[in-house]
Amino acid sequence: MSATVLITGASGLIGKPLVKLLLSHGYQIHVLSRKEPQYNPSFKGFKWDVKNGYIDKNCLANVDTIIHLAGEGIAEKPWREERKQAIISSRVDSLGLIFKALKDNPQFQVKSLISASAVGYYGDRNDELLDENSDPGEGFLSEACVLWEKAADMSLDLNMRIVKFRTGVVLSLQGGALPQIAGPVKYNLGTVLGSGKQWIPWIHMDDVVNAYLFALQNSSMSGTYNLSAPNPVTNKELTKSISTVLNRTLWLPNLPAIALRIFLGEMKAVVLSSTRTRSDKIREAGFKFKFERIKEALKDLYAKD
């Protein structure tokens, strides 16, 4: 019988292509959903309700690995206190609920947890080169990531192997940052944000899901890994690369940082933070990026569009 993987956040930006990839490699998939699961011949669905502390324990039956992707969107709504709590709770309390179910049902022996995290852990660090040993930064995004990773570390009490991926800006035409940046560019209304010098650690969606598969198949991997391409770019370089690939012209002036602070408040961190990450550790583990340069990644995505 093939290995069984439980995935949270399976309907999200990363979850959908990851489920497809794992199914193609013969894995059995269990999916947690907030709605009553509908019959699907490809995988088994189970209900959970994090807010009310409910989880169908049967989701853990025969599971070898949990992949934790669940979490409220970071940039979808303003960061009022209630929203901040929802962002944290959806990541932290959800893991706590799963771990409680495991402790209450010792017949289920999960071997590994592969959990998403984010480069927001590092905060705004200008040109500093950041590896997995770098300290966390300041601000809400950093605080949320620290709590997220601490929650994942609770799996160590259950003798589970743990892998945490601090993921960069995921490039996909199905959602995330790229369509929002490229939208104005298509109409020759693209502009550089702030100084444009802030570093953006990006990664092609194919490399994201391949990294999860790699961690699933390589039990020697454990600990924290930066999951972003080996060559981060500045906001200016990213915007120019998009305009080049789309054959458009950037003629608008930079959008001043002060305007972004006024309109976005604390959420300015999403677009103005500079995070220059290194990907040496995951490459030393044997993972090979399919896309190491921003233009080749963009060309691939738009060739499929």
Side-chain angles (χ1 to χ4, degrees), residues 83-280:
R83 181 62 180 174
K84 287 182 179 180
Q85 187 53 48
I87 289 171
I88 293 173
S89 176
S90 62
R91 290 161 170 78
V92 174
D93 294 348
S94 54
L95 273 175
L97 185 59
I98 291 172
F99 294 150
K100 183 179 184 303
L102 283 170
K103 289 176 182 177
D104 292 344
N105 298 276
Q107 72 271 27
F108 302 135
Q109 295 292 317
V110 178
K111 299 183 181 70
S112 302
L113 170 71
I114 305 173
S115 178
S117 182
V119 294
Y121 176 94
Y122 300 111
D124 184 7
R125 306 290 276 271
N126 296 313
D127 293 330
E128 181 182 353
L129 274 172
L130 302 161
D131 64 21
E132 292 79 0
N133 293 318
S134 299
D135 292 332
E138 299 179 352
F140 171 68
L141 281 183
S142 179
E143 293 168 10
C145 289
V146 168
L147 292 172
W148 194 357
E149 294 188 14
K150 282 184 177 179
D153 287 339
M154 291 190 295
S155 63
L156 297 173
D157 296 335
L158 296 166
N159 297 315
M160 293 165 64
R161 174 178 72 101
I162 178 172
V163 174
K164 294 175 286 187
F165 281 137
R166 290 177 185 157
T167 312
V169 175
V170 178
L171 299 185
S172 167
L173 297 185
Q174 308 309 311
L178 181 56
Q180 297 183 46
I181 299 171
V185 174
K186 287 182 179 180
Y187 297 99
N188 294 313
L189 296 173
T191 184
V192 175
L193 302 178
S195 69
K197 296 179 181 178
Q198 62 271 35
W199 289 95
I200 298 177
W202 61 273
I203 182 168
H204 190 293
M205 177 62 81
D206 286 358
D207 282 326
V208 175
V209 295
N210 285 335
Y212 275 90
L213 176 63
F214 185 80
L216 189 58
Q217 295 177 332
N218 289 271
S219 59
S220 61
M221 279 185 72
S222 66
T224 307
Y225 296 83
N226 287 337
L227 187 54
S228 54
N231 298 288
V233 294
T234 63
N235 174 266
K236 185 175 183 179
E237 289 170 331
L238 174 60
T239 309
K240 283 192 169 183
S241 295
I242 293 171
S243 66
T244 299
V245 170
L246 294 179
N247 195 28
R248 296 294 189 272
T249 302
L250 288 180
W251 57 272
L252 291 177
N254 291 25
L255 189 60
I258 189 170
L260 291 166
R261 291 190 181 99
I262 292 171
F263 288 112
L264 297 178
E266 275 189 279
M267 282 179 64
K268 68 182 184 297
V270 175
V271 295
L272 292 180
S273 290
S274 181
T275 314
R276 191 181 182 187
T277 57
R278 302 180 65 165
S279 60
D280 303 46

